[in-house]
């Protein structure tokens, strides 16, 4: 079943809202890729880094799946998962990528945008969206409509943005926890009925 198209678009929101763009390997002859970690040509290390560069913050399990897709494999194999994790460990040790709570990204790259699912792409479950990205969406919605959304309305709008149900599943609880973090950190005020960004942006 194709993902439900989000009602959100860049026309509805500020520049914090962007479509999810998968890593692009259209310019790469995947038959020429050597999946050995230490080959002299395009390697698994290159593929992992390009995924993290394009899609970070990316959850580790999502990275596994996307690498399998690049390799035209029907599922993630134990060997593929082990190989990818070994490369992730090496890139992390080298400081080329960082990992926070199982989400991979480039060092010192703040989360400035939240990504909605393009039609035809698999909708990410809430567990596969980094808390920083979920919080960016919540803050962006408040910034777009200062003092016009309650906490419950902001939660529902964020769930719709990502293509989740605002009332069932684990998304509502996680989004509300994210919203509490924004409140408790002093990022938003006007709780709970007229939320607005503290910096007024």
């Amino acid at each position: 079943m194709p993902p439900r198209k989000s009602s959100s678009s860049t026309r509805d929101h500020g520049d914090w809202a962007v479509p999810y763009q998968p890593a692009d390997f259209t310019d790469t002859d995947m038959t020429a890729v050597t999946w050995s970690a230490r080959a002299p040509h395009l390697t698994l290390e290159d593929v992992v880094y390009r995924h993290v560069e394009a899609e970070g913050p990316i959850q580790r399990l999502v990275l596994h799946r996307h690498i399998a897709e690049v390799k035209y494999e029907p599922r993630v194999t134990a060997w593929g998962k082990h190989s990818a994790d070994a490369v992730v460990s090496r890139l992390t040790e080298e400081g080329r990528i960082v990992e926070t709570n199982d989400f991979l990204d480039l060092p010192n790259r703040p989360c400035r945008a939240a990504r909605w699912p393009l039609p035809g792409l698999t909708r990410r479950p809430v567990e596969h969206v980094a808390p920083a990205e979920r919080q960016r969406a919540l803050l962006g919605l408040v910034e777009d409509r200062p003092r016009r959304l309650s906490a419950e309305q902001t939660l529902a709008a964020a769930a719709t943005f990502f293509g989740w149900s605002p009332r069932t599943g684990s998304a509502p609880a996680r989004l509300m926890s994210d919203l509490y973090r924004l409140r408790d950190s002093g990022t938003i005020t006007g709780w709970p009925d007229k939320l607005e960004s503290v910096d007024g942006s």
Side-chain angles (χ1 to χ4, degrees), residues 32-153:
V33 174
T34 305
W35 296 105
S36 167
R38 299 191 181 281
H41 305 296
L42 183 66
T43 65
L44 179 58
E45 184 170 304
D46 299 310
V47 173
V48 168
Y49 183 83
R50 283 174 63 175
H51 269 99
V52 173
E53 182 181 40
E55 301 184 40
I58 181 172
Q59 210 263 0
R60 189 185 283 256
L61 293 179
V62 177
L63 175 68
H64 293 159
R65 188 179 74 242
H66 288 191
I67 290 174
E69 292 169 353
V70 166
K71 296 172 68 177
Y72 303 108
E73 294 178 343
R75 61 184 179 84
V76 178
T77 65
W79 179 87
K81 179 180 176 181
H82 174 77
S83 299
D85 285 343
V87 169
V88 165
S89 295
R90 183 161 60 254
L91 291 175
T92 302
E93 291 172 1
E94 293 173 356
R96 295 179 61 195
I97 65 174
V98 293
E99 182 171 11
T100 304
N101 298 325
D102 217 29
F103 286 89
L104 306 167
D105 206 349
L106 299 185
N108 303 313
R109 181 166 69 173
C111 185
R112 300 191 186 280
R115 298 167 289 181
W116 48 273
L118 283 169
L121 292 183
T122 301
R123 184 178 65 243
R124 294 176 295 165
V126 64
E127 296 84 2
H128 290 178
V129 179
E133 186 175 350
R134 300 194 307 254
Q135 291 168 27
R136 185 65 193 96
L138 290 161
L139 179 60
L141 290 161
V142 170
E143 291 170 341
D144 287 347
R145 302 179 64 188
R147 300 186 60 80
R148 294 173 59 192
L149 294 177
S150 67
E152 290 293 337
Q153 289 170 325

